[in-house]
Amino acid sequence: MPPPSDLRSVRPPVPPARRIGRTGPALSPGVGGGVAPRPVPGLLVAAEQHLRIGSPEAMADAVTRSHLDDGRCVGWYGPSTPGWRVAIDAERADAPVPPALARRFGADDFWARWTRAECCCKLADVPVAAWWRRHGLGAPADGSAVWRTLRLADLVLTVGFASSQGAAAPRQPR
């Protein structure tokens, strides 16, 4: 992982509360709906400290992982957050946007929007094609998940948390 001085946000720095987004994945009824309790906001603000990049074998012990098209893997190594599930999704920032997806969703800020949508899908356990039909690459503003999209080395990635309280059978994020 590059030193903290090499880490950059996708957008210009803003106060931490503005970097935490609210999403609305289709979670089980009764899940979330309020402000995320501590320590979730703190984990998102300090996300760079809990992410590592390496081979899939080196990331095997991560809490959750995201595999890249170049063979690397990003792993989340944050502390346990009882009552919350975590998911991450990462893409190479300089990867070309597939033409069909660019036509459908636009190319502006594509990978940031893509990783947010993928993260929401993982937290909601919804296939990406079903998410597209309902939300496109958007992240609804009224929901029970919180997320942060950032730049880490040559990657754009999103870290998200969703409450597992009240869920019938929470599943480990993919």
Side-chain angles (χ1 to χ4, degrees):
M1 184 165 89
S5 61
D6 290 346
L7 302 175
R8 298 173 300 279
S9 292
V10 172
R11 299 180 192 273
V14 294
R18 305 252 334 200
R19 285 191 267 182
I20 299 170
R22 297 188 51 73
T23 66
L27 297 173
S28 301
V31 175
V35 175
R38 299 264 180 231
V40 170
L43 289 172
L44 289 174
V45 169
E48 296 91 339
Q49 298 173 24
H50 304 295
L51 293 160
R52 298 183 194 157
I53 304 169
S55 68
E57 296 78 22
M59 300 296 112
D61 61 340
V63 173
T64 188
R65 304 179 296 171
S66 180
H67 295 267
L68 299 161
D69 65 347
D70 63 5
R72 294 179 296 164
C73 187
V74 179
W76 174 261
Y77 288 86
S80 174
T81 51
W84 290 85
R85 296 180 298 148
V86 62
I88 63 173
D89 192 66
E91 298 292 342
R92 289 182 306 111
D94 64 351
V97 177
L101 293 175
R103 283 190 301 275
R104 183 170 183 176
F105 301 114
D108 291 342
D109 203 26
F110 180 83
W111 293 119
R113 293 181 296 126
W114 177 268
T115 62
R116 280 193 293 271
E118 282 279 356
C119 202
C120 290
C121 289
K122 292 174 184 182
L123 290 169
D125 198 24
V126 172
V128 72
W131 189 270
W132 288 350
R133 285 191 294 277
R134 185 168 184 186
H135 304 289
L137 289 185
D142 59 342
S144 59
V146 291
W147 53 264
R148 178 173 171 216
T149 298
L150 61 142
R151 180 86 184 244
L152 178 65
D154 64 331
L155 306 175
V156 173
L157 62 93
T158 297
V159 178
F161 287 88
S163 173
S164 61
Q165 297 171 354
R171 296 183 236 265
Q172 184 67 16
R174 285 172 266 194

